Amino acid sequence: MSDLDEIVQLVTIAGERHIHPDFSTYVDDVDMADIRKLYEDMVVVRRLDAEATALQRQGQLGLWAPLLGQEAAQIGSARALEADDFAFPSYREHAVAYCRGVQLKELMPFWRGTSLSGWDPNKYNMATPAIIIGAQTLHAAGYGMGVNFDGANSAVITYFGDGATSQGDVAEAMGFAASFAAPVVFFCQNNQWAISEPVTLQTKAQISHRGHGYGMPTVRVDGNDVLAVLAVTRAALELAREGGGPTFIEAVTYRRGPHTTSDDPTRYRTAEDEAEWIRRDPIERIRLLLESAGALSEGDVKAIGDHADAAAAELRRGCLELEDPPAMSIFDDAYAEPHSLIDAERREYAAYLDTLDA
Ligand SMILES: Cc1ncc(C[n+]2csc(CCOP(=O)(O)OP(=O)(O)O)c2C)c(N)n1
């Protein structure tokens, strides 16, 4: 698709537009009002992320996986999807869920521990968070093969991190998807760290080379450039729908927060590194672009900020309104049919709960 080592960029960190010979045409229809909408999306999801992090710090969530810094990678790719495409995320794609229309309160139960999932995947064409690293890529490959068997023309996207590319599941998923020309976009957010393990230790080759090794087109994109991500994802989805099979996208970005709220990144990375990536902030460059085009007034900034605050308040309300499920319901959906092991565990747990009442 593009030179293996090139990083596709359409907007510089100073907010200037670049023309790319292969990819600019994919965003020819995107006008300043659309770019302002992408900007708004990023501002809102950053605000939601901050609110969820605060909820965890206040003891209202068991855990949260912040997306701070990865807004452009997620919004750009998710806004490239059609309604009948299907997304298979990891656990950090809250912005993708937002774009798919998942209700804000449905983002919370998984992290508050009141449900094993959160939303109905078929309602939004998006699976719920996958904690097992890389498992979702297999689901995507299988779903994509199913799309081909059905003769449908929808596409599939799956999200995973740089660390996940070392996982066997991802290797199997890419192998099957390539062999069967499954319409899957493998969207890797290279956020530089797999918890405390840097990408330089993860792989001696560039991440994007991994897709190339399976014989699929690969593209490396500036993951902090929402327009470039939108363009390359649209190109990959189009190829998938036309029967061209899978594409591997490496979105080069940076996780600015901790891996999860249980992590302390100051133990393994430097302040200089963090400062460098703040300079490449995905929201700031679009703000500069809009302002220089006279497409973002003070009133717009205020309205977008108000919208973000209202969304954060809705997220908080949804979280605090969640009810604890009955303890015994944990066993209800483990198997579709009765299962003797689950029955034994159910009896054991009921006996344990009785000891608490006594
Ligand atoms: C199969 C499996 N092995 C190990 C873990 C523990 N674990 C959770 S997150 C993580 C690192 C993932 O890094 P990466 O794929 O780069 O994604 P990121 O969190 O940076 O988005 C690991 C090893 C797990 N959840 N599943």
Side-chain angles (χ1 to χ4, degrees), residues 203-230:
T203 168
K204 297 301 162 201
Q206 201 167 270
I207 291 282
S208 60
H209 293 191
R210 297 197 158 183
H212 186 67
Y214 289 89
M216 60 179 82
T218 70
V219 55
R220 244 187 143 202
V221 62
D222 181 339
N224 285 13
D225 174 353
V226 72
L227 205 59
V229 175
L230 179 68

Side-chain angles (χ1 to χ4, degrees), residues 269-276:
R269 68 186 187 199
T270 64
E272 291 76 35
D273 210 18
E274 290 180 12
E276 171 54 24

Side-chain angles (χ1 to χ4, degrees), residues 91-92 131-133 161-164 167 191 193-195 255 259:
Y91 41 75
R92 204 182 295 285
I131 286 285
I132 303 166
I133 300 299
D162 40 294
Q167 193 74 24
N191 65 11
W193 294 93
I195 314 186
R255 159 174 61 77
H259 167 73

Side-chain angles (χ1 to χ4, degrees), residues 2 4-8 206 208 218-222 250 252:
S2 67
L4 273 190
D5 296 318
E6 181 202 358
I7 297 192
V8 177
Q206 201 167 270
S208 60
T218 70
V219 55
R220 244 187 143 202
V221 62
D222 181 339
E250 177 194 357
V252 181

